[in-house]
Amino acid sequence: MSGTSLDGIDVALIETDGEGEVKRGPSRTYPYDHASKARLEQALELGKTLADRMARPQNLAEIETMLTERHGEVVERFLSEISVKPGEIACVGFHGQTILHRPSDALTVQIGDGVGLARRLGLPVVWDMRARDMEAGGQGAPLVPAYHRALAANLPPEFDMRPVVFVNIGGISNVTYIDGEADPIAFDCGPGNALLDQWLQREAGIPFDQNGRIAGEGAVIEDLAARYLDSTFFSKSLPKSLDKFDFPVPDGDAGELSDVARTLCHVTAVGIARAREHMPREPRLWIVAGGGRRHPSILADLADAVGEEANVALAEDCGFDGDAMEAEAWAYLAVRAMRGLPLTFPTTTGCREAVSGGVISRPDAGVERSASVRPA
């Protein structure tokens, strides 16, 4: 998994049947070097110009090749480090890098060559998992809820509370609501770390707020927070999803560095809490994953916003890994795709019916699309 924060590639190993059985294994994060990250940032800029998801203008094809090679390198390194032979792996789930997500135009673009990765690794690779959902009228995001549902079924007794909400705070924040046996409800709920990271990078040349120190020295600028929270996105009905650039970075004169940073943390937290407006019942437990879970200001504001009646817990408190959860999810979804099981549901992306997805590429260059079968 290579997320919108562009911090690196997360790799995880799981053993699963693609349904309720999940045995989590080791995981690693391999940071991008400066040159690779700069090229991916260029890809994001090129993505803004795309009207065809297959187009690769200018040097985008070269960047896609670079990204694929980096993924091949880290998978090989990962397997070597954990002493697992490639022949023991059933399949690889490959997210690629999202460079454009425009659901209003039924357009989502993830660069990454699944055919090339399969040939390099000598393993089946499942990739391009969002396109089928959009063909079925969905938003193409979020896709992780199917995995969240499996994790919810394996919560330790002290955290087995329903309704439970899984929160992922990456570049964008998204939530998955799970209550009983119904399909999960999921949606992007607002900015995550992207606004904060972009603000600090532009104004101070700092890639992110290490340990929350900068925001910790600031105070919330109420009118700036209100301008963000007054966005019609928050009251928009489901389904809904976001592109990294849907919320603009504050102007340079918006305030002191630390005050703006503190304000953006507040916006992230309140945006997550307001997701309750789209949920059938008040959640009892919020499980927080993603890089944003490490930011003290975001966590404190989230706990304050959801109130004393709800519990806010880190993924690790519940026996999970907040850094590896999305990479694990992509492995889980790959198995579901191989079995033709649904990846998305009307309650998660707005697709017309539950659909599978993904392109399955095999080392011998065989390519097939996942079937679409919903179990009884």
Side-chain angles (χ1 to χ4, degrees), residues 332-360:
Y332 179 82
L333 293 171
V335 172
R336 288 184 71 85
M338 296 277 280
R339 296 188 58 197
L341 297 172
L343 308 188
T344 58
F345 308 87
T347 54
T348 60
T349 66
C351 52
R352 289 183 292 273
E353 59 184 358
V355 292
S356 190
V359 175
I360 303 169

Side-chain angles (χ1 to χ4, degrees), residues 9-40:
I9 300 172
D10 298 325
V11 188
L13 178 67
I14 68 169
E15 183 176 344
T16 182
D17 61 356
E19 296 186 77
E21 179 184 330
V22 177
K23 182 179 179 181
R24 298 175 45 252
S27 61
R28 300 278 194 282
T29 296
Y30 299 92
Y32 285 121
D33 57 68
H34 180 75
S36 296
K37 183 174 181 178
R39 296 186 77 186
L40 291 176

Side-chain angles (χ1 to χ4, degrees), residues 307-327:
E308 296 180 357
E309 298 301 315
N311 297 281
V312 176
L314 296 180
E316 287 73 13
D317 297 334
C318 303
F320 307 137
D321 186 331
D323 288 324
M325 193 175 288
E326 284 205 298

Side-chain angles (χ1 to χ4, degrees), residues 163-167 175-178 279 283-288:
V164 58
V165 175
F166 283 82
V167 182
V175 293
T176 302
Y177 171 95
I178 298 166
M279 298 173 184
R284 294 180 60 202
L285 175 64
W286 300 71
I287 301 174
V288 187

